[in-house]
Amino acid sequence: ATKAVTVTQDSLLNVCMDAKHHKTEPGPEGQLYGQCVLWKDNACCTANTSLEAHQDQSYLYNFNWDHCGAMPEKCKRHFIQDTCLYECSPNLGPWIEQADTSWRKERIRDVPLCQEDCEQWWEDCQDAVTCKLNWHKGWNWTTGTNQCPKGAMCQKFKFVFPTAAALCEQIWSGSYRYTSHHRGSSRCIQMWFDPTQGNPNVAVAQYYA
């Protein structure tokens, strides 16, 4: 029985999800770009994907951050980091589930985000402007890029997402879960870390696997 448990655990560790831009398995990437560089030693993303993650109008999903006017840079960096984590991290195995969409076969759900990462995201984005609560669906795509649906009002994040937990848990339909765990506790996934100290999310995936 122990052997079977180990196999199941291993299949949750160091894996890439089956989605639009992910590699089939993680490995070193010499030239990851910008904020994605944290994962260069072991990544599920290619250098090209990491570059695109930083574009305002990226071919990854044709998604436009500036749908209600320009998103402030201090806010945008969190969305870039969120994209890097999603595309590059090989440590999300315990939270991968089947997804029934044309563009991906798997997604993540309830990834436990460290409190500081979520709070800082909210703090830096509270005055940014959006027209939607769940950014996964309901957009007007007639132009080929996401626009606010008819009748949707642009308002500040702090009114759309009154708390950090609301932002992290609702914006990508439950991909993340707000936790009271702190960075370095090995109980929550860090969107940000110092790669010279190693990747703290390896231990987190092991704990939950």
Side-chain angles (χ1 to χ4, degrees), residues 128-178:
V129 183
T130 186
C131 56
K132 279 186 59 45
L133 187 66
N134 183 348
W135 287 16
H136 263 152
K137 49 188 185 221
W139 296 98
N140 171 0
W141 287 97
T142 48
T143 59
T145 180
N146 57 305
Q147 293 180 302
C148 293
K150 202 176 157 103
M153 191 171 81
C154 287
Q155 46 185 343
K156 288 189 174 180
F157 270 49
K158 59 184 167 197
F159 301 121
V160 180
F161 308 104
T163 62
L167 169 65
C168 293
E169 295 183 352
Q170 294 175 321
I171 196 160
W172 298 124
S173 51
S175 294
Y176 295 121
R177 182 166 56 81
Y178 177 86

Side-chain angles (χ1 to χ4, degrees), residues 94-149:
W95 305 280
I96 291 175
E97 61 171 39
Q98 297 302 304
D100 192 18
T101 51
S102 57
W103 52 281
R104 59 179 181 181
K105 293 191 172 58
E106 292 179 333
R107 60 160 293 184
I108 45 171
R109 187 184 292 278
D110 292 332
V111 173
L113 267 196
C114 295
Q115 186 175 6
E116 295 88 338
D117 289 44
C118 193
E119 295 283 353
Q120 196 62 54
W121 191 355
W122 188 86
E123 191 63 39
D124 289 344
C125 289
Q126 56 176 322
D127 292 322
V129 183
T130 186
C131 56
K132 279 186 59 45
L133 187 66
N134 183 348
W135 287 16
H136 263 152
K137 49 188 185 221
W139 296 98
N140 171 0
W141 287 97
T142 48
T143 59
T145 180
N146 57 305
Q147 293 180 302
C148 293

Side-chain angles (χ1 to χ4, degrees), residues 6 29-30 34 36-38 47 62-63 68 72 94 106 110 117 120 136-138 151 157-158 165 180 183 187-189:
T6 315
E29 285 289 330
C36 295
V37 76
L38 310 188
N62 289 323
F63 197 90
C68 279
E106 292 179 333
D110 292 332
D117 289 44
Q120 196 62 54
H136 263 152
K137 49 188 185 221
F157 270 49
K158 59 184 167 197
S180 54
R183 292 156 147 269
R187 298 292 180 268
C188 57
I189 291 288

Side-chain angles (χ1 to χ4, degrees), residues 8-70:
T8 320
Q9 274 189 330
D10 287 348
S11 66
L12 296 177
L13 300 174
N14 200 32
V15 291
C16 300
M17 72 187 101
D18 185 355
K20 193 173 179 183
H21 301 289
H22 289 69
K23 301 190 319 197
T24 48
E25 50 188 53
E29 285 289 330
Q31 294 296 317
L32 290 189
Y33 180 78
Q35 291 174 220
C36 295
V37 76
L38 310 188
W39 288 276
K40 73 177 173 50
D41 293 341
N42 193 28
C44 285
C45 61
T46 61
N48 214 10
T49 297
S50 72
L51 179 65
E52 282 296 323
H54 293 70
Q55 310 299 328
D56 282 349
Q57 188 65 63
S58 145
Y59 83 77
L60 293 180
Y61 305 100
N62 289 323
F63 197 90
N64 179 19
W65 307 123
D66 303 333
H67 51 266
C68 279

Side-chain angles (χ1 to χ4, degrees), residues 38 41 190 193-202:
L38 310 188
D41 293 341
Q190 294 179 208
F193 56 87
D194 175 359
T196 61
Q197 306 289 312
N199 178 346
N201 295 333
V202 173

